[in-house]
Each structure stands twice: as C-alpha cells, then as structure tokens.
Amino acid sequence: MMDIKRVISTIEKNYIKNNLKKGERIDGRGLWEYRKFKITTNTIASAEGSADVSLGDTKMITGVKYDIGEPFPDLPNKGVCTVMAELLPLASPLFERGPPDEESIELARVVDRGIRHADCIQTQKLCIKEEKAVYILFVDMYVINHGGNMIDCGGVSALGALISSRIPKGEWTEDGPKWTGEYFKGKELINELPLPITFGKISDIIFLDPSLPEELVIDGRITISVTEKEITSIQKSGTATFTREEIKILGEKAFENAKKIRKDLDFWQYANNSN
Amino acid sequence: MMDIKRVISTIEKNYIKNNLKKGERIDGRGLWEYRKFKITTNTIASAEGSADVSLGDTKMITGVKYDIGEPFPDLPNKGVCTVMAELLPLASPLFERGPPDEESIELARVVDRGIRHADCIQTQKLCIKEEKAVYILFVDMYVINHGGNMIDCGGVSALGALISSRIPKGEWTEDGPKWTGEYFKGKELINELPLPITFGKISDIIFLDPSLPEELVIDGRITISVTEKEITSIQKSGTATFTREEIKILGEKAFENAKKIRKDLDFWQYANNSN
Amino acid sequence: MMDIKRVISTIEKNYIKNNLKKGERIDGRGLWEYRKFKITTNTIASAEGSADVSLGDTKMITGVKYDIGEPFPDLPNKGVCTVMAELLPLASPLFERGPPDEESIELARVVDRGIRHADCIQTQKLCIKEEKAVYILFVDMYVINHGGNMIDCGGVSALGALISSRIPKGEWTEDGPKWTGEYFKGKELINELPLPITFGKISDIIFLDPSLPEELVIDGRITISVTEKEITSIQKSGTATFTREEIKILGEKAFENAKKIRKDLDFWQYANNSN
Amino acid sequence: MTLLIQDEYPKKLLREDGLRLDGRGLTDLRPIKMEVDVIKNADGSAYIEWGNNKIFASVYGPREVHPHHLAKPDRGILRVFYRMATYSVFERKRPAPGRREKEISLVISECLEPVLFLELYPGTSFEIFIEVIDADGGTRCASTTVAALALADAGIPMRSLVSSCAVGKVDGQLITDLSGIEDKAGDSDMPVAMTWFNDEISLLQFDGKMNQEEMDKSLDMAKDALENVYQMQLEALKKKYIQIQEGI
Amino acid sequence: MTLLIQDEYPKKLLREDGLRLDGRGLTDLRPIKMEVDVIKNADGSAYIEWGNNKIFASVYGPREVHPHHLAKPDRGILRVFYRMATYSVFERKRPAPGRREKEISLVISECLEPVLFLELYPGTSFEIFIEVIDADGGTRCASTTVAALALADAGIPMRSLVSSCAVGKVDGQLITDLSGIEDKAGDSDMPVAMTWFNDEISLLQFDGKMNQEEMDKSLDMAKDALENVYQMQLEALKKKYIQIQEGI
Amino acid sequence: MTLLIQDEYPKKLLREDGLRLDGRGLTDLRPIKMEVDVIKNADGSAYIEWGNNKIFASVYGPREVHPHHLAKPDRGILRVFYRMATYSVFERKRPAPGRREKEISLVISECLEPVLFLELYPGTSFEIFIEVIDADGGTRCASTTVAALALADAGIPMRSLVSSCAVGKVDGQLITDLSGIEDKAGDSDMPVAMTWFNDEISLLQFDGKMNQEEMDKSLDMAKDALENVYQMQLEALKKKYIQIQEGI
C-alpha cells in the first residue's frame, strides 16, 4: 500500500479524497454499497476445484490442488489447508515480479485465517491414516485484474473453489495410501462459509468495499471475516486508527453484508456432483 | 547473447559483419568449415569419468559423478542422467558470477536434450532395484575458456566424459544398495553418439561453428543434434528467422559434419578399460 | 572489516592509530590488557542452555537447542554440534540485514573450530542409536551490542551456554527415539574448555582484545584458541602479516590469558543442576 | 508422498480407426477460442483456449525499464514472462518460476522480437506477461499465439502477427498439434512459429527422433496448421474492432 | 526427526477455582519489566520482560535510506524488523526470517507510524530492530510496546506513546494478556494497540470465534489493560531521566 | 541415499618404515607442476598440478567495479573467487558456492593483498577467479600459489610473489604438505603463506592440537617448504619469458 500510491496523479487523488470526505465515491456508489460478484466454478480441468470470480473490475482465478503428506505431530489426525496468493504482474502495473510481497502475503493470510478459524473445513475428514498420511489442500489464488478489495474477492473465490472441488478418496494400505476409486466432494468438507468484509477509512470517513482508486488514497482498511453468527478474524492494515465505537459498528455491518452475499451467491449450488 | 555484444568495439563488429556478409570469416575459415577438436579423457582423478575438450579457443572440462536415489514414479526401473553447465567467470570477461544465467542453462539443456532424446544412455542399466534405487549420473561441464560454439564443444565433452567413465556396480540388499566390487564402464552404457552441430546466421548468411567474435555479431543460431540416422533435437535461438528450405539444408549439413567428427574423434577409443 | 571502516571519522581514526603506534589505547588499557567478562547463564527459558555474556561493551546472548537426526555416515555413533552467529542490525549501525555476511560466518567458524578441534564436546555421548539417531546441538550466538572482539566473547558465551544446558535423554525404541524422562547436563558433555584469544595488529604494534574503535583501524588480527595445554585453532584475518617470532610469542600470550580467564570465570559453577 | 492417482499414459496413442484418442484426424487442430482486451489494467491483453489450455497474456509498454541497468540507449527491449499457475498441471507446480518457465520465456521473446520495431523505442521496455491457468500440451505455442494478439491489442506497431503450433510424431505417425498425452507419451514434439511478414520460421525446437524426410514433411504440416491459427487470430482482432465500431 | 519431548497443551486452561494455570485472574497481566537505553550503539533502545517473553528493541534514525530507491521525497519512512532468535521457541526456529516475522514487522510498523511526524524527515528512514530472545505468547504486543519505548528513548518527536496488549477467549471465558499456552490452546486471540494522542486503536487483529457481544466486551477489557501498560512505559522512561539527573 | 563406495580413511598414516602412505618422507612435497598463460581470454592466468590437485586461476583487472557501490574512491579492491568443480571431490559437491568456498576466498584475498599496490588503482577492481577441478588436500595453499602466479602473468606490479604450503601432524609426527587423506584422517592441519618482500606470514590457519613446541617447529618446517615452492613459481614464470623471447 505504499509505492503504488504514486501511480495515479496527485490531482486525481485529491479529487477522489475530497469527494470521499464529502461521502461521495467516484463510481457513484454510496458509502455502504458493495459491488456485484460474478462467479463461475470448475473452469480449470487440471485443478481438483476452481472458481473464476469477479468483484467489479477485480478478477481472480482460484484453484484447489492436493497432496498427501505426514500430519503435524500435534494434530496427528487432521489434514492441512494452505492458502497462497499471487498478484500477477499481468493484472496491474502496480504489481512487480519476484517473490511474494507484503500485499500478496497479506491477501493469502487474511483469507487463510478467515477460513482456518471458522472451522470452515472439516480437517479430520482429510486424514487417511493417523500419524501417517493426511491430505494437504492447496488453495491458490491468482489475481488476473486488480480492481480493489482483493481480499473479499479472494474469500469468495476460495470458497467457490473448495465447494466445487472433488478429491480422490484414499485408504491406508501396507504400501501406503491408495485410491479407493471414489471422491470426496467439496461440500462434504465444508462446515461454515466465512466471508471477509472489507472497509476503507480516510480521515474519519469509513466506507465499504474499496475500489482500486480508493485503495490508492485511503489511510487504511479493516477486514472482518464472519460466519453466520461469529466473527472469525479481523485484520487492520495501513496507518488509519479506529475508535472502539467504530469497530463495534463495523462488526454489525460485516454480518449484514456477509448475509446478503451468502444469499445472493447461494454457494452450495456450486457443489460438484459428478462422480 | 545480449549484453555481451558490447564487449568488442563497434568498428570491429562492423568489420566482422561486413566480411561475413561477403562470405568471409575473420579466422580465414570457409562458411562451412569446422574448427579442430582436441580431446583428452580421464584427467580428473576424483571424477568417475572426465574429458578435457578444446574446439578452437573454446576449452571445456567435463566430469561425471553419480549418486543413488529413488527413481521417478513413472519410470521405476530407469536411472537418470542430468547435465549441468557453468560458464566460469574465469573463462571470459563476458561471464558473470552468480546463479546460472540463460546462456549456461541453454548450453546444459541443448546438450541434455540431444543426449536424452537419442536414447544415448541405456538408462535401464542404471537401475539397482526397481522402484527403490537407481543411479543418478551428473554430467557437469565447466567452460575454462570461451572461444565460441560452446554447445558443440559441450556435446563432445559430455560424450567423452561418459564413455571414459567407470561407475561402481551396485546390488540391492536388505540394508539398501551395496557395491558388488565391480564397475560399469561407460561404453556399456552408451547406445548412440548424438552430436550437436551449430550454425550461425547474420542477415541471410548462414555458416558453421561460430567463433566467439562471430557470436557477438550474429542475429541468431540454430543447433541440430543428430545421431547417425536421426535428428534428435533442434534449438533455434536469437532473433534470426529461417526459411523452411534453409532448415532442410541445415539438417543435411548437420548429418554430414557429425559423421566427419564421429570418424575423426573415434569416441570408443576413450573407453575406460581399467578395472 | 572493509566498509565499516568508514563509520568513524578520519580524524578520529588517525588519533586512535597514532596513539596505538605509541602503545597507547583510547580506553586507557595497556597493550596486553584484557577487558572484564560478565556472564549470566540460563536466562532463556525456551533454550536448553543459554548465556548472556558481556566483554566491555560487547554483549552476546547465546542459546543451545537440539534436534534428533541421522549421523554422518563416516561418524555413525557421534552427535553433531553446529555454531551459528547473527550480527543483529540491532547491535550496531555497521551491521546490515540480510543473509549472514563474511564477518558473522567468520565469528561462527572460529568459535566452532576452537570447540571442534579441542574435543570440547563428548560427541559419542550424543548418540542415541548408532547409524540411526544422534543429537544435533545448535549453539546460536546473537550479538546484542558490538563493542569489538566478538570472537573471544563468542567463545566464552558458547561455553557458558553449553555448560548450563540440560538436554532430554533419549533411548532407542521400535518407534524411534523416545525420552527416558531424564536429562543430560552440559557438564557431562564437556571435556575441555577451549578459549579463543584475539590480538590486533597495526603497523608493527600488536595488542590484546581489540575494542570496536580499534577494530576499525587495524590492519588485521589473529585469534589463537587454546585449551590448558594445547593450541586448537589459529585464524589470521585482515591484511596484516606476522613474523614467525611474533606468532610464537602470541601463542604464549594466548595460554597465559586463557588461563586467567578460565580461573576468573570458573565455568563449572554454571552447570545446571536442576532435574 | 505421492498423489493418490498417478498421471499415467496409454500405450497406444492412435486408435484402431486411425484417429487420435480425442477423435481428431492426424492433421486436425484442437478447438481454439481467442479473445482480445480481457484485462482492463493492461495496455493490451488477450485470452486463448486451445484444447484444454487456458492462457492469459497482457502487455505493458513502452515504459521505463526497471531495473534501469537493463535499458539500452539505442533501442527498446522486449521481455517475456511465461508462468504457469500451480493448479494448471496434474501435480501441483511449485509457485516459484522454474528453469523451464525461464527458458520458454526466452524462446517466446526471441520469436516475437523480429516483428517489433524496437529501434523506435530507445531506453524503454515492453513486457509481456503470460499466465497459463490450465495446461494440456503445447502451451508454448498457444502462449506465443496469444502474446502476439496481446501486442496487437496494445496497438504496438508490428511488422506482422506471429502464429505458432506444434507438430510431432506418435506411434510412428506425423501429427499436428499434440495434446498433453501425445506430448508426454509420444515420440517427438516440434513447436514451430512463423513471422508472417517474411514467411519465415522464428521459433523452432525439436525433441525426439525424426529422419530427414520426416522433418521435411513436418515442416510442411506446420505451415498448414499455422495458416489456420493465423486466420483465427485475425478473426479475434476483427471481432474487437467490430464491437468498438458498434459501440458495444 | 522430531524432538524427544513434544510441545503439548493441556485440555483445560482454567482451573477449578476459576483462576488461570499460572494463577492469574481473568483480567490480570503477567509480570512486566521494562528498561530503556540498554544498547549502547543504538540511537535509542529498550528491553522488556513480559512474562517469559524477553525482547530487545533498538532504533536507528533519521538516517540515509538504504537501498536508496525506497526513499520518499516528501517524507521519512519507518521500517520495522521483528525477528525471533532461533532459541526463543520450543522447537528451534530456522535462522532466516519467515513470513510470520515479515507480517508482524508490517503490523507493528503500521501501528507505530501514526504517532511519528514522518513528514518532517523527507528522504530519510527510521529503522526499528526488534529481537525476541525468549517467547511465550503475545510477542507482537510486547514488541510494539518496547519499540514505542525505544523510539521515545531515541528522542524522536512523537504524538504520544503506543501501548499494546492482547485479549482473548479460553474455555469460553474472556481473558486479558494470553500466555503462550493460552494462545496456542485457547479459542481466540486479539492483539490490540492504542495510540494515546487520539485514544484510538492502531493495531487490531483477531483470530478465533467471538460473537458481537464478546467482541465489544473484549475491546473494553483491552482498554483497561492498555492503561496499565502505558503507566509502566511512563515509569521506565521516568527512571532513565531520574538516573540522568542524578548523574548516574 | 549414500554412494556405493564409502570414502574411508586408514587407521595409520605412517608406514612401518616411517615413510608416508604415498612413499614421501616427512618433509617431502608432493610433485608440483606449474604453468602460466593458460587461459586466452584472461588478463593473466596460471595452472597448477600439486599432487592430485588441479587448479586454474585467472585474473581480470584493473577494471570497472561491478556492482558500483563496492568501488573505493581512494584505492582499488581485490576480490578472490575460489570455487570447486562439482566433480573435484569424492562425493559430488553442490554447484552453488558454499560457505567454505566463500571463507577460503576471503582468506586468499587477505593473504595476497599485502603484495599489491592497490592505492595506485582508485575506483577499480582486480578479480582473481580460482577453479579447483580436482582436489586432494591443500587446495587453499595450491590456490594461493597459483593465484600469485596469475597476478604476475597479468603484469600487475607486485611487491613480491606469495607462496603457500601446509604443515601438520599425523600419527603424532609433524609433516609437510598434507595429502587429502592426511588432511582428513590426521590430527592437525596448518596452511601457511609468506609474502617474500618482508619475509612475513600472510596466511595462517590452524585446526587440530599442537603444543607450543610443536607449533614452533611447524613454522620452521613451513618456511623450508615455502622456499621450494617459491623456486618453482619463479621457474614457471621464467619458462614463459624464455618462450616469448624464443618467439615460440
């Protein structure tokens, strides 16, 4: 969130800032208005599950792959799910080549934490043999176009890819894990649908779902991941500070918006029913 | 092939270019004339096989080492041969320290592909126990002086090092692989002798075996690796383009030159017959 | 020892140099005078052993951790001890972030070699099961403030951390190594107490225990590690050269000072006697 | 540990009826779909589906060279970054770019450079980013093809388009446009690209075994396939300009 | 191979008498000791012991930015490097900084920046180096707290101090200042920091599960704890200035 | 997995007749061959065979420093890059330079620098590249010796040559010029180098166990060996100039 601020002109920035401070957004949205999601699943033949998700101009393609490995010693009967993000230089002149930078690490981590702490995935189902063999699920997010609020888009794309996935079922034999011929379906693995909801802040104005130009001028943002009833993670970033009252209100707004998105997208329709 | 073009002066470059375009080479060779190879094998006591090869001013020392490892799952009874090249900064002011650059990767890959696709090595002999233990042969090429056309020099040095090698023979026991007390000899492992033959192109002039000054001015080059009867790999590099007719003619030239080199060098004389 | 020379002003450097050449040191010490050590052990709860050691303004905190691994094939019944050093950028404006530089590698290596070649550690006691499982001890030194002569400070801190350590005792079972419920104590593992003694040289003046300002102006230094009766390692660094006579005298000086330090610090008092 | 299901290849790649496993004749191309202007932030972009391959390409430039020392005082530079998504292949690829990706990047760059007028852009760079999100054989050819489209979409002056396709040999027969299985289990693979302004070959690689006669025939088959690919590229560009004219 | 002894966690984190395993009440802080001016070479430094956590922080700056291209013409930059010693945790940490360390560095940096007047230092940088030499839960809060002290010790103008502490939930109960065991085996962890010049929250992270009501209550508990931490920071600074005045 | 044949060392390194395993007396050097001007592209170069060690060295400079920030305004810099070929040792070495290679590079650099007049070459660098293609104990001494020759071959002004040789202890006896086996299985190893312009020691490392008396004796033995090495270096240089004069 630092160097990229240079990309749009100072005049443009001031225009966006001044309007925001008056409560007006350059794309005409109200402060508490969310952009539309578009989602298609199972677009990648090589992946076990996948989702192609757009939120306004932001476009992300997420795939699920798996491997079999040893469990962590302290969780001998639980599989593992890891989330990775790549901000492809394809997607924006702001993204540079090279190893993952702070922004992509943050994207992956916030989505990961939302999922992990919501008990989103029934990791005990991802065990083939206690202490010996568990599944490692890789949820890898690739940003194809950056139009702002990658985190919320990432959260939806991760869920879409997981729900649409289909993973070979293994059983333990003397020679190690073997395929039973059947598959797990994503919907059998998913407990809860945690959704990250992100707010931007500039001076004392707070607003929902920042677009890219807005992200370039804000002081900071806060993401609150929620399931139907509980907050499962919070991440504040940038140099904005918040009052306790603001945090409380944003919690309520997060529940409200997540409920609406959950209803609009109707995630379970993307379950992969093929055998 | 980019930055190194700066090393010789513009005047010198233009001189080489203009002469080439007239069909004249600065070292007096004809367009289709190859430099002489010199080869000595088994010069490195620590290596299982080795060859010290010169082609004009280009000098390369290649060694063969081995390790025992697990086979690839899809080739459970086949050993592996990998080729690596280092363009030592010792060898030229054009070479820089650091991880392998594009040119050394290309050198290794072209030599490797020529070998791999010619079934040069009988990889099934390099299996100690199916699915458990196979040989990994390392063919490592070090450029000691760079005088142009490293690829062809590398191809000859890899063959020389392999043919002169002597590898401890292993058998499978309950405790893993053990030495039988005997050795494989390189000649028992080699099927075919693929040789890379490289051509340079500048404007519409094509010529054989470019020297270093020529490499610094050409538009591109093409390497055609051939066994006695078959083409086993082609690699075009640089921005030169070729007509289909040119490619066909160069194929014939490659067979013709490889035949001559094979006869001149008489590779099998380098077989290591010591026990 | 190169770029850091720029940090103090030329005037200051010349002052230190000229005084040294007259046999006078800026901190008032005589040429053969050593600074005081301060040592506290077992300060780190998470470490198996630890020592917080100061030598003048130099402060280092060293911890011992362990892991279980396979032994080296040529030493099937011996554990391994590795020494690492980090010159934290916290500790001096001269230290930079990033992978270990020459100076930290040298610090670790010289301390390591002093220990290794003195048979300081009874590595055969660090074997759980021949060929299968041995201890790997990690002695990790962190420089908290750099006041010169890190090597001697490191030598003392490594011994302090090792002597104060307490390592779970393992036994071999069918399922691999298991804890017996008991501990090794550092003092049972230590044979000898090798101490590195470092001298600086500028022009033809040699002196003991260089401080940081002195290190910034000297031509080179030499470290001689000694046990009670034997020299166990020597490391000359920098561009100073020494006569054979000087080396002989410095050997004697090293024995003399190490004896004094050994007596002053009385290392065995730091043995960890808790169960 | 290994994956539960192995990535196995059939013994035979031609069916009894002489057709290929996916029903194609020996010289048939797989279904190909191309579209330009698909990534809003890019100066030019394109997307291709070629059989099961799915690939995005975007172009940025001419712009300042970063890092500076790569800039050339007398001409612009072209840099291509070909990458594969971790999930684009059977066994998850490691995220960091491997040697193969760097090598293919270089090959594509050298193949496209002849059609650009880099001498008109001293001190600047053009970057082409290619992301393979689903891979099934022939990604370097499909990538070259879609990258050329993205360059055209960016409005960068070009001597001509570049088209690319592989030919090869399976079960002793020469075929056009190898699928993933044919590439891995077959005998030979030869990616070819042509620069149409001079009708010459600007990408040529080969691995396998062919005699001189087979090589000659392969080059002829490649020429035929490339002409088809070229027409599809022109169509994709035309569609965009029609849309612009129609004000959609 | 694994270590001989496993790092195991108890099933229950609250005792029958309602107190925590280490005897603390639900809202009690662990023992905390702070000291400033502990690293002679640094422009400012501080040391904290917070329960079993032991952490050094040192500050260098304003100084030239290295590498240069990170410098900003219109303001100074703040960079925080949070690191853990290999021996600071149960299982030896690898020496190279991991993603977690980079992430915490960023979080601390963003949390401290609001109190600095970076606009007064164009083209320069402040670096804060934090070294955790012993860790037992809550290192990011303790690090933020000690880093703020080191900044003050360096005499760098600040709008206010920053204080930090975690709140969380174990066995269904909200608690203050989680220990290592409570952090790993508990349900929720929420580090909070406040910038006292505006009484606002400048660090807020949360992982676990809380409903809205618990969240509100947690924020109130955090406020109480932070006020205590703040007083201790002021004490540590006072002690140094008394020592200076007394000429010690 | 391990190699089939283990790299094993004998129990005793001295034979019943008091000679060493390779038949040498205690203070004998191994056979040594040196040659200068062996790498055409280099400004200066040399090759040494010392027992089974085979080592090339080449020198480039004075030339522009790359990267620039290493340049010193008041003097030239010397950089040495000592590397071992993967196949130069019993068990294949990894291709990337390891810590040991960096450490030896530094040691050789510090040992050669005293004979150069770097103050005459402000802002430039000299690079010495050393490649060990076959190793059998004592590579750092042989490398120092051959690097000094390459510097002389490059015509770079020097205060004197530098010669290097190891002494050590096996089976309780002091010996000169340890072979690979003697180095690995012996008790002590001490590489020494001398700068002849001042007759002083410019490289000195020691690992093992020696009492003060043994150390003194070792230094005397080193001096004798170094004088022999020095004569051979002079011979190698002389041979080249004779060839030049004879117009060969």
Side-chain angles (χ1 to χ4, degrees), chain A residues 43-47 57 59 61-63 65-70 84 86 88-93 96-97 132-133 135 138 140 142 144-146 168-170 177-179 183, chain D residues 1-5 38-42 52 54 56-58 60 63 66-67 79 81 83-93 95-96 127 129-131 133-136:
Chain A
T43 52
I44 307 295
S46 302
D57 286 337
K59 180 185 175 72
I61 298 177
T62 296
K65 295 294 293 177
Y66 78 100
D67 199 356
I68 309 290
E70 281 191 28
M84 188 205 72
E86 278 214 43
L88 300 174
L90 178 107
S92 164
E96 286 181 9
R97 287 172 306 111
K132 299 286 188 189
Y135 288 87
F138 297 95
D140 296 333
Y142 283 79
I144 303 292
N145 196 67
H146 177 15
K169 212 174 249 180
K178 297 283 170 203
W179 183 35
Y183 293 90
Chain D
M1 239 175 284
T2 60
L3 295 172
L4 289 173
I5 302 180
V38 295
I39 295 176
K40 201 179 163 186
N41 290 334
N52 280 329
K54 295 187 187 63
F56 285 94
S58 73
Y60 293 90
R63 62 181 181 182
H66 182 79
R79 292 195 293 169
F81 302 96
R83 296 285 309 277
M84 300 185 83
T86 53
Y87 50 68
S88 66
V89 283
F90 181 76
E91 192 158 345
R92 181 176 182 261
K93 202 193 83 69
E127 270 101 38
F129 299 101
I130 297 167
E131 190 73 25
I133 58 165
D134 210 348
D136 188 24

Side-chain angles (χ1 to χ4, degrees), chain F residues 84-101:
Chain F
M84 299 185 84
T86 52
Y87 49 69
S88 66
V89 283
F90 182 76
E91 193 158 344
R92 180 177 183 261
K93 202 193 84 67
R94 291 161 147 275
R99 287 196 175 188
R100 185 179 166 277
E101 285 160 290

Side-chain angles (χ1 to χ4, degrees), chain C residues 25-265:
Chain C
R25 305 176 71 168
I26 46 160
D27 55 9
R29 281 188 286 159
L31 289 179
W32 302 107
E33 200 176 326
Y34 214 97
R35 290 171 296 175
K36 277 265 166 298
F37 274 111
K38 268 187 255 170
I39 176 166
T40 326
T41 57
N42 257 316
T43 52
I44 307 294
S46 303
E48 270 66 62
S50 57
D52 177 339
V53 175
S54 297
L55 172 62
D57 286 337
T58 293
K59 180 185 175 73
M60 210 175 281
I61 298 177
T62 296
V64 173
K65 295 293 294 177
Y66 78 101
D67 200 357
I68 309 291
E70 282 190 28
F72 288 115
D74 52 337
L75 296 168
N77 65 343
K78 294 205 169 169
V80 178
C81 176
T82 78
V83 177
M84 188 205 73
E86 278 215 43
L87 311 190
L88 298 175
L90 179 105
S92 165
L94 306 174
F95 296 162
E96 287 183 7
R97 287 171 306 112
D101 63 350
E102 284 168 354
E103 210 175 358
S104 60
I105 292 174
E106 193 192 24
L107 167 55
R109 285 277 293 151
V110 175
V111 171
D112 182 53
R113 284 164 43 202
I115 288 177
R116 189 181 306 273
H117 296 285
D119 290 328
C120 168
I121 298 172
Q122 300 178 39
T123 49
Q124 72 285 359
K125 285 201 181 155
L126 294 176
C127 176
I128 294 176
K129 172 74 177 174
E130 204 172 307
E131 286 185 359
K132 299 287 187 190
V134 297
Y135 288 87
I136 303 156
L137 295 191
F138 298 96
V139 178
D140 296 333
M141 309 187 288
Y142 284 78
V143 180
I144 302 291
N145 196 69
H146 176 16
N149 199 4
M150 293 185 289
I151 288 175
D152 293 9
C153 188
V156 165
S157 79
L159 286 184
L162 281 166
I163 285 178
S164 73
S165 67
R166 194 167 152 275
I167 315 246
K169 213 173 247 179
E171 62 187 355
W172 186 253
T173 71
E174 282 188 0
D175 296 336
K178 296 282 169 203
W179 184 34
T180 64
E182 299 187 338
Y183 293 90
F184 281 110
K185 312 224 169 73
K187 67 173 175 185
E188 302 166 19
L189 297 172
I190 304 294
N191 273 326
E192 294 246 35
L193 299 176
L195 285 175
I197 305 292
T198 297
F199 306 86
K201 183 169 188 182
I202 181 164
S203 300
D204 54 353
I205 298 287
I206 301 182
F207 55 95
L208 194 55
D209 179 25
S211 68
L212 178 59
E214 288 165 350
E215 285 192 358
L216 300 181
V217 303
I218 56 180
D219 297 326
R221 65 176 180 233
I222 190 165
T223 299
I224 304 181
S225 293
V226 295
T227 58
E228 283 181 43
K229 292 183 187 150
E230 287 176 306
I231 298 173
T232 65
S233 97
I234 300 179
Q235 175 76 5
K236 198 225 82 169
S237 71
T239 60
T241 56
F242 292 83
T243 66
R244 273 182 295 159
E245 290 62 41
E246 285 169 347
I247 301 290
K248 291 173 186 177
I249 293 166
L250 296 183
E252 288 158 22
K253 291 273 181 200
F255 280 111
E256 191 182 294
N257 278 279
K259 191 174 172 183
K260 190 167 172 317
I261 293 169
R262 226 174 258 119
K263 196 176 152 219
D264 287 355
L265 295 186

Side-chain angles (χ1 to χ4, degrees), chain B residues 45-46 57 61 65 91 140 146, chain F residues 40-41 86-87 90 92 134:
Chain B
S46 304
D57 286 337
I61 298 177
K65 295 292 294 178
D140 296 333
H146 176 18
Chain F
K40 200 179 164 187
N41 290 334
T86 52
Y87 49 69
F90 182 76
R92 180 177 183 261
D134 210 348

Side-chain angles (χ1 to χ4, degrees), chain F residues 41 62 97-98 113 128 142 168 176 179-180 186 194 207 209 219 223 240:
Chain F
N41 290 334
E113 192 174 321
I128 304 178
T176 297
S179 68
M194 293 197 78
D207 285 312
K209 278 190 173 182
L219 289 171
K223 181 75 194 294
K240 175 189 170 187

Side-chain angles (χ1 to χ4, degrees), chain F residues 5-22:
Chain F
I5 302 180
Q6 299 299 323
D7 193 11
E8 280 172 1
Y9 314 128
K11 286 266 152 62
K12 289 188 64 66
L13 294 166
L14 293 178
R15 311 190 310 205
E16 304 249 317
D17 61 3
L19 295 180
R20 296 151 74 176
L21 294 183
D22 54 10

